[in-house]
């Protein structure tokens, strides 16, 4: 806290942080309480207020410390006249009359009456329209100058390296933390101004973002920007701060009351805007807080949260041997039926659980279910603007970058076909090729991939629109020139079983009329191999199967991509049982735990099935789930440094609960080289989180190696970009 110290013949000297308003104009100042450490209480026009503008000495506005790196400094004088041996002459400071006792007493009374300073109320501040293009989507429309970095005009701000950084952050961080960090920086470069008040952003928002986004800066060897210092330029909630990200939430915190007289189990069968969808999901999670929660896996290109609602007996926790299932809708923005089905499913699961439905209670107590109603909320907004019945076949299909998200995943299927021809080579858990990251990767795609690496998903479905059929991998033909070619996975039998679990209880898919929507698939039982339908690369289902343990199918819910509102209830009735039946199939096959002889779980142990060239791996707790069709199977568990264990497993035809098969691995003798062939495969580092999907040590990332500073002190790869655009060299971005 600063102090007001009287000086003989000089008025008062401010010794705290912040510039006294009216410095040099004879204004008497008093320090703010400790709750506002950077503020000062002043008396101007008869009103006491806080002002934390940077400066130091009262009566000497030109003597300022702590200039930021972007400020222009006057060049130091050179030559004989600038010798350091000359004794500095005494500078006479302007004198000020001592404060009138009555005026000073008034200030003291006002300070005592106000235990905390409100944030800066500066009647001298002139609010003006916010004109920075990079900050055009901020939550406010007016700002003022000088800003918190002492930039005094639009021209100075736009020429600053701080502003240039904000404009390219999205590209530098490959879509991460966008637009959150940009809006946070805008709150500093163009502070919010309301009726002569200048308000600072909230410190806890800054701290939360730094915790999440710091790894993204570390990945490109860039220091955290000084102007996003959470303690210097941000303030606490009790000091009148505001949330600079409030516009991103779009009023999502506010609840939407149901019409009077309706029970809480009521489901409104209508289309949901983004804000309505988020409110429904959060309200549902609040009603069933003991078995549900919402969380975000990232943001879309335009900054909308990719919100997931989870149902589990212990929300937020992976439980031993409890399988994980995900259902994803709206990957194509104009295919909206899946989005609505998952919103309805979330409400249905919550309501039926509370009503004591034994089937739903058993499902939620034994399964962890994740619902992502909208993977492409930006595309949905484009499609919804046209509305049901007017939407074209492709309008809104892509994301805001004009990318088809179901063509944006790494092409691992081509690599699989190459490996399949090599005897003994592993063709599962294929790492992401490094060249993939040099292309255009949507933030939505990256969020899904990171999500998949974080949670050991076993089963998944992607809900689409445009036809009425269930398709399964592979979606990419074994011969790329063939547009339609049956291209099965090693788990062809299991994928057929999963697809039929959905189609066989869907009344329209089982309709025997060939004239209906999807009638051309009737003879196939309304299921089809994806590549046999039409071949494409970069699909999400193939990536799930080849990169992780997860088996994913694609469900086409109907021939109308954006159905009218009156058709939604019928769609729900057709798909409700299919969705539940599909999720329940995650309990088919076997499950168990792999441990060593001391009972310690063995992570990333391989579970192989003779005759099926596709292994799955154990989760960090040593548990695994292997989806298998009925029959006799030879199952093998193995891990580096341990002897393999082989067991014979019989799965009855009518068995609907996974059988438990545990493995205890014995260590190999010293010096033994009996490691199974093909396991010790290394792959390049990828930006999703470090190790490969195998969980083993990987080779150094050549890109990362190039980004590391060399011994001769060379700068990171992005340094030349900033120095070419601005006269100010932003050395505050350098870590070394």
């Amino acid at each position: 806290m600063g102090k007001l110290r009287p000086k003989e013949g000089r008025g008062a000297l401010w010794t705290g942080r912040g510039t006294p308003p009216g410095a040099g104009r004879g204004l008497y100042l008093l320090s703010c309480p400790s709750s506002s450490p950077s503020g000062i209480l002043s008396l101007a026009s008869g009103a006491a207020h806080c002002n934390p503008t940077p400066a130091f000495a009262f009566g000497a506005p030109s003597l300022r410390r702590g200039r930021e790196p972007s400020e222009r400094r006057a060049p130091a004088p050179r030559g004989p006249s600038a010798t350091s041996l000359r004794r500095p002459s005494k500078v006479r400071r302007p004198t000020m009359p001592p404060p009138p006792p009555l005026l000073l007493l008034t200030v003291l009374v006002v300070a005592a009456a106000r235990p905390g300073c409100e944030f800066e109320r500066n009647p001298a501040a002139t609010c003006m329209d916010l004109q920075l293009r990079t900050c055009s989507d901020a939550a406010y429309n007016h700002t003022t100058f000088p800003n918190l970095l002492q930039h005094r005009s639009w021209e100075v701000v736009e020429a600053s390296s701080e502003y240039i950084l904000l404009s390219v952050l999205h590209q530098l961080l490959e879509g991460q933390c966008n637009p959150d960090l940009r809006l946070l920086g805008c709150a500093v470069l163009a502070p919010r101004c309301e009726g002569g008040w200048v308000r600072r952003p909230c410190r806890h928002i800054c701290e939360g973002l730094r915790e999440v986004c710091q790894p993204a800066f570390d990945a490109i060897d860039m220091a955290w920007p000084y102007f996003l210092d959470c303690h210097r330029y941000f303030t606490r909630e009790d000091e009148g701060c505001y949330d600079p990200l409030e516009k991103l939430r779009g009023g999502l915190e506010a609840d939407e009351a149901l019409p009077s007289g309706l029970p809480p189990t009521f489901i409104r069968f209508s289309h949901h805007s983004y804000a309505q969808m988020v409110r429904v999901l959060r309200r549902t999670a609040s009603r069933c807080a003991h078995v549900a929660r919402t969380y975000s896996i990232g943001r879309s290109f335009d900054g909308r949260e990719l919100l997931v609602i989870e149902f589990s007996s212990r929300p937020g926790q992976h439980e031993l041997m409890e399988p994980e299932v995900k259902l994803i809708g709206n990957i194509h923005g104009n295919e909206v039926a899946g989005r609505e089905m998952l919103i309805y499913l979330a409400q249905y699961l919550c309501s039926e659980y509370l009503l004591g439905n034994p089937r739903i209670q058993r499902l939620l107590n034994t399964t962890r279910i994740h619902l992502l109603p909208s993977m492409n909320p930006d595309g949905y907004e484009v499609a919804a603007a046209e509305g049901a019945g007017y939407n074209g076949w492709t309008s809104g299909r892509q994301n805001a970058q004009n990318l088809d998200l179901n063509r944006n995943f790494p092409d691992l299927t081509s690599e699989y076909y190459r490996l399949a021809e090599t005897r003994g080579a592993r063709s599962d858990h294929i790492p992401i090729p490094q060249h993939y990251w040099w292309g255009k990767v949507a933030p939505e795609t990256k969020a899904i991939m990171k999500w998949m690496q974080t949670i050991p998903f076993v089963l998944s479905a992607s809900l689409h629109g445009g036809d009425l059929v269930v398709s399964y991998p592979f979606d990419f033909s074994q011969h790329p020139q063939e547009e339609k070619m049956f291209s099965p996975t090693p788990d062809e039998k299991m994928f057929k079983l999963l697809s039929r679990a959905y189609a066989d209880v869907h009344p329209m898919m089982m309709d025997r009329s060939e004239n209906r929507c999807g009638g051309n698939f009737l003879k196939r039982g309304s299921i089809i191999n994806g590549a046999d339908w039409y071949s494409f690369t970069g699909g999400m289902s193939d990536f799930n199967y080849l990169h992780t343990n997860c088996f994913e199918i694609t469900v086409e819910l109907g021939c109308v991509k954006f159905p009218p509102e009156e058709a939604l209830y019928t769609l729900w009735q057709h798909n409700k049982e299919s969705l539940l039946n599909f999720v329940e199939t995650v309990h088919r096959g076997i499950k168990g735990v792999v441990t060593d002889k001391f009972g310690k779980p063995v992570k990333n142990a391989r579970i192989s099935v003779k005759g099926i060239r596709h292994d799955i791996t154990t989760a960090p707790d040593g548990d695994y789930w292997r989806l298998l069709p009925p029959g006799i199977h030879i199952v093998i568990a193995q891990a580096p440094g341990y002897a393999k264990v082989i067991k014979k497993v019989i799965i009855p035809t009518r068995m609907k609960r996974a059988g438990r098969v545990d493995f205890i691995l014995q260590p190999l003798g010293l010096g033994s080289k009996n490691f199974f062939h093909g396991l010790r495969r290394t792959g390049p580092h990828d930006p999703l989180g470090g190790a490969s999907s195998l969980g083993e040590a990987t080779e150094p990332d050549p890109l990362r190696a190039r980004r590391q500073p060399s011994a001769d002190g060379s700068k990171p790869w992005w340094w030349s970009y900033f120095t070419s655009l601005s006269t100010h060299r932003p050395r505050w971005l350098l870590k070394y």
Side-chain angles (χ1 to χ4, degrees), residues 27 117 125 199 232 343 420 510 668:
L27 195 62
C117 268
R199 299 181 62 193
R232 187 171 186 179
I343 295 173
M510 288 298 100
L668 291 170

Side-chain angles (χ1 to χ4, degrees), residues 80-209:
S81 62
T83 175
S84 59
L85 299 177
R86 182 177 299 173
R87 187 169 184 171
S89 61
K90 192 170 183 179
V91 179
R92 295 192 53 149
R93 301 190 179 186
T95 60
M96 300 177 62
L102 182 59
L103 185 60
L104 187 56
L105 179 61
T106 305
V107 173
L108 290 170
V109 170
V110 172
R114 297 178 59 183
C117 268
E118 290 186 8
F119 201 71
E120 178 180 341
R121 182 191 294 181
N122 188 353
T126 302
C127 296
M128 60 187 70
D129 291 340
L130 179 59
Q131 299 176 7
L132 294 175
R133 179 177 298 179
T134 297
C135 303
S136 60
D137 56 344
Y140 50 94
N141 300 317
H142 295 92
T143 186
T144 189
F145 287 105
N147 63 14
L148 299 180
L149 304 184
Q150 293 303 299
H151 297 150
R152 298 187 177 276
S153 68
W154 298 117
E155 293 77 16
V156 174
V157 172
E158 291 175 339
S160 68
S161 51
E162 294 89 347
Y163 184 77
I164 293 172
L165 175 65
L166 290 186
S167 65
V168 297
L169 260 182
H170 176 71
Q171 286 77 18
L172 286 173
L173 303 183
E174 297 178 327
Q176 298 183 67
C177 300
N178 176 67
D180 308 54
L181 279 178
R182 177 172 55 79
L183 294 177
L184 198 71
C186 287
V188 176
L189 292 180
R192 184 169 187 163
C193 184
E194 297 176 355
W197 291 43
V198 177
R199 299 181 62 193
R200 289 197 189 186
C202 292
R203 184 175 298 161
H204 72 276
I205 300 294
C206 175
E207 291 171 340
L209 271 181

Side-chain angles (χ1 to χ4, degrees), residues 176 295 297 318 324 326 328 368 370 409-410 412 429-434 436-437 441 444-458 460 540 543-550 552 603-604 617-621 625 681 683-696 698:
Q176 298 183 67
Y295 65 95
I297 62 170
H318 170 71
E324 311 256 2
K326 60 182 168 72
I328 299 175
R368 193 177 179 205
H370 307 256
F409 286 85
L412 303 184
H429 295 83
I430 300 174
I432 299 172
Q434 191 62 38
Y436 168 77
W437 299 110
V441 182
E444 297 91 340
T445 307
K446 184 178 289 187
I448 293 292
M449 292 192 289
K450 190 171 183 179
W451 188 33
M452 290 163 54
Q453 291 188 352
T454 304
I455 297 175
F457 289 113
V458 181
S460 176
M540 186 165 65
F543 178 78
N544 269 268
Y545 182 70
L546 294 175
H547 188 65
T548 72
N549 293 334
C550 189
E552 181 175 279
K603 176 184 177 181
N604 286 316
T617 57
T618 55
D621 293 334
W625 308 262
R681 181 181 66 201
H685 173 93
D686 68 68
L688 295 177
S692 71
S693 58
L694 295 174
E696 300 165 3
T698 59

